[in-house]
Amino acid sequence: MTETAVLRVLVAGESWIKHTTHLKGFDQFHTTEYEEGAQEFLSALGRSGFAVTYVRAHEISARFPRSAEELDQFDVVVLSDVGSNSFLLPDETFLRSERSANKLAALADWTRGGGGLVMIGGYMSFSGIDGRARYGMSPLASVLPVTMLDYDDRIEASEGIKAAIDHPDHPALGGTPADWPMLLGYNKLIARPEATTIARSAAGDPLLVAGQAGDGRTVAFASDLAPHWAPPEFVGWAHYQKLWESLLNWAGGRVS
């Protein structure tokens, strides 16, 4: 990939559609709402001066790159709260039984070739709720710095989780304080032996893991970038922008 002054970031996921049934006595009706959860995250990346391309969850079939060559226009790819099926079942395959490129295989190849990959936790990240995200069965499993459970991996902690920072001087943290605001849950992961667990929960589960995949760098952030696992105290934290800026710069090879 060609070195550029501005870090080029592709963010995929963090959007959903809600279809609600309202019951009012004898009668009922339905409403449909579209929502996005990454607004503050995307704004933080913009303020950091990154060139950000956002592909919403329902746009992945049409807009997410299909080859390592197409991915070369980016330095870092961020996946957040969108399951593997969105990549593995493009419209032409699911609707018309046509062969098509495996987007996750292309992303894995691109990462090994020098790209930066960041996966952020959520109900449709890693294994996910009821195991439905299914990344452990996908080509991406070979490049992530963690191994995933083969069942529902959510740890819900309404009482709050305080992160313990094992490596406060790791360059991926960019000098941000080790005293993170509380989190309310995460995906339970197992760090690969060769990867570095930068932060973990009080129970000892990895919260932030950094690793290498071929010539590329990978990051797994087990909790969320937005509610509900990342409460307003975390999203509104004075160092929220700097934390993500540093993690993405590290993944993109801008800091050693």
Side-chain angles (χ1 to χ4, degrees):
M1 289 178 293
T2 302
E3 182 73 13
T4 59
V6 176
L7 194 76
R8 303 162 300 174
V9 182
L10 172 62
V11 179
E14 280 296 335
S15 70
W16 56 91
I17 296 170
K18 295 194 305 186
H19 188 64
T20 306
T21 300
H22 302 254
L23 301 174
K24 297 194 174 184
F26 185 88
D27 298 299
Q28 64 173 287
F29 63 94
H30 304 89
T31 58
T32 303
E33 300 171 79
Y34 169 76
E35 294 184 346
E36 295 179 2
Q39 294 92 337
E40 182 52 39
F41 176 76
L42 295 172
S43 295
L45 301 191
R47 292 193 299 270
S48 296
F50 297 162
V52 180
T53 300
Y54 180 34
V55 177
R56 295 158 180 83
H58 63 279
E59 298 174 329
I60 287 172
S61 180
R63 293 187 57 209
F64 194 87
R66 295 168 177 261
S67 67
E69 291 74 23
E70 289 182 23
L71 285 160
D72 273 342
Q73 63 185 299
F74 304 104
D75 301 301
V76 179
V77 173
V78 179
L79 305 184
S80 183
D81 211 2
V82 58
S84 62
N85 280 329
S86 292
F87 300 90
L88 297 173
L89 291 171
D91 291 347
E92 60 269 28
T93 300
F94 184 68
L95 299 177
R96 301 188 295 276
S97 295
E98 298 171 0
R99 294 177 60 196
S100 58
N102 188 315
K103 294 184 176 72
L104 293 184
L107 181 55
D109 288 344
W110 173 82
T111 302
R112 284 188 286 263
L117 173 63
V118 178
M119 182 174 284
I120 300 171
Y123 273 28
M124 280 294 167
S125 297
F126 302 106
S127 294
I129 187 169
D130 299 331
R132 293 185 180 187
R134 301 178 69 254
Y135 280 101
M137 299 176 67
S138 81
L140 219 56
S142 64
V143 296
L144 287 170
V146 294
T147 57
M148 291 159 274
L149 306 182
D150 58 2
Y151 49 86
D152 192 319
D153 62 359
R154 293 170 301 129
I155 300 296
E156 301 286 359
S158 58
E159 74 280 14
I161 296 164
K162 194 67 175 175
I165 310 300
D166 290 352
H167 296 278
D169 295 327
H170 195 286
L173 294 176
T176 52
D179 187 20
W180 291 6
M182 288 277 193
L183 297 165
L184 297 177
Y186 58 91
N187 299 91
K188 185 177 177 68
L189 305 168
I190 301 169
R192 293 188 182 275
E194 68 274 15
T196 301
T197 300
I198 299 173
R200 65 181 73 241
S201 71
D205 294 325
L207 289 177
L208 177 60
V209 184
Q212 194 85 18
D215 292 329
R217 290 178 171 182
T218 59
V219 173
F221 185 83
S223 194
D224 212 335
L225 57 78
H228 78 276
W229 282 347
E233 293 81 2
F234 187 84
V235 177
W237 185 35
H239 303 282
Y240 177 89
Q241 176 181 329
K242 181 62 176 178
L243 176 63
W244 291 116
E245 176 184 320
S246 302
L247 288 172
L248 269 61
N249 268 323
W250 184 86
R254 299 301 175 89
V255 293
S256 58

